[in-house]
Amino acid sequence: MTDDVVRIDGQRLWASLGELARIGAYVDERTGLTGVNRQALTDEEAEGRRLVAQWFRDAGLAVRVDRIGNVYARREGSDPDLAPVLMGSHIDSVATAGAFDGCLGVLGGLEVLRTFDDLGVVTTRPVEVAFFTEEEGARFGVDMLGSAVAVGRIALADALALTDRSGVSLGDELVRHGFDGPEPERAAPPHAYVECHIEQGPVLAAEGLQVGVVTGVQGISWQEVTIDGRAAHAGTTPTQLRVDAGLAASHVVVRLREMAESGEFGALRATVGEMRFAPGLTNIVPTRAVLTVDLRNPDDDAMARAEDALDAYLHELEERWPGLAVSVRRMARTRHVPFDPEVQKAVATAADDLDLSHRSLLSGAGHDAQELASVCPTAMVFVPGLYDGISHNPREYSTPEACADGISVLATVVRRLAG
Ligand code: GLV
Ligand code: MN
Ligand code: MN
């Protein structure tokens, strides 16, 4: 072991994770488990933002907020003119979350800086930790939003104009909560970006490994499909006379599953996670169906072919049922993002130096890191999750030891990158 290896305080990290998880906590009616619902820029998330920002200040960090509400905290280096090493993730959640997704990267980053203070570590470069706005896309429909704005992939004005299901704009919510910061949203590129995250999948735990070295993130395609048919009385309208939007939507669900299982589109994963019928009444044939389509694929060509095939199928449905009209709204789209080989190597080396078993793996989930990767060398550290790696669910769980191991890897990598 080399003497620049850093071991963080696992108990302090665990306590922070537990305290943040109380904000937005709810009890899942079906299972009785406590989960987290802290969607971006709700009252709950704003409370979480204020708590974490206060923890940043308590740790002596300089806090700044940019125009999309991303919050950065900075520990100065001996050469403050050098670009910082950045850590980060998100504290917003889906409606049915656990305590780890995103929060581990943010509170882990804070724990790294607390540990540097405890150990009297002086880095040459500044080190920063950030939490980014609306990573989940759960409220405003675009994932990795704050980090995408920070790197210039999405324009600030477009992001501010996004609305949630009840028509409230993201810009108004930033103002309401006082997180419409003064800092420019396009930060100068960091020296490097490293994010620690729960794996959200089964691989590491199944193989009994302690750390994942993330090679990149697969492509993500989100679309909202609206199918307009014709409302009709459920009892009096003969089957042959119906233009049933609900039936067409159900065909889409089945077709997507067939596509994913066909092998024709590489390792495609396809999910319809939301489907709403209008008028949504027992005795009326649906006049409209609105469904979301989430496609994931590590292969960009296969992803494009899958999108084309879905498009062709939607046209087929229109031909099959005259009077049916289908329209598609693009919500979000990212390509496969490979991470920097050198930063990956630094993660693997740090794991070795900490005597932690590890393997490389591609991320199935989207992360802020994939946005930062467009402006600086980037990689991620995964920690194993229990229960088949279930995530976006109250059962999401990693152990205190696993979290401490992952954040110790993060601390060691960041210390080395920061000089
Ligand atoms: C982010 O959590 C995703 O949906 O991949
Ligand atoms: Mn996440
Ligand atoms: Mn998530």
Side-chain angles (χ1 to χ4, degrees), residues 34 43 71 78 91 180 192 209 253 261 265 284 294 298 323 331 335 387 415:
T34 300
D43 290 351
V71 176
S78 60
I91 64 163
D180 55 328
L209 298 172
V253 176
E261 289 181 350
F265 305 97
I284 302 179
D294 175 318
M331 299 165 68
R335 296 170 64 83
Y387 316 125
R415 181 180 189 173

Side-chain angles (χ1 to χ4, degrees), residues 19-27 34-39 42-45 47-48 93-98:
E19 204 171 330
L20 181 55
R22 284 207 286 272
I23 302 177
Y26 75 99
V27 176
T34 300
V36 174
N37 180 1
R38 204 171 48 235
Q39 294 177 62
T42 55
D43 290 351
E44 290 77 17
E45 203 241 4
E47 189 183 340
S93 81
V94 296
T96 58

Side-chain angles (χ1 to χ4, degrees), residues 201-220:
V203 176
L204 294 175
E207 296 183 11
L209 298 172
Q210 291 161 299
V211 166
V213 181
V214 186
T215 57
V217 180
Q218 66 178 341
I220 304 174

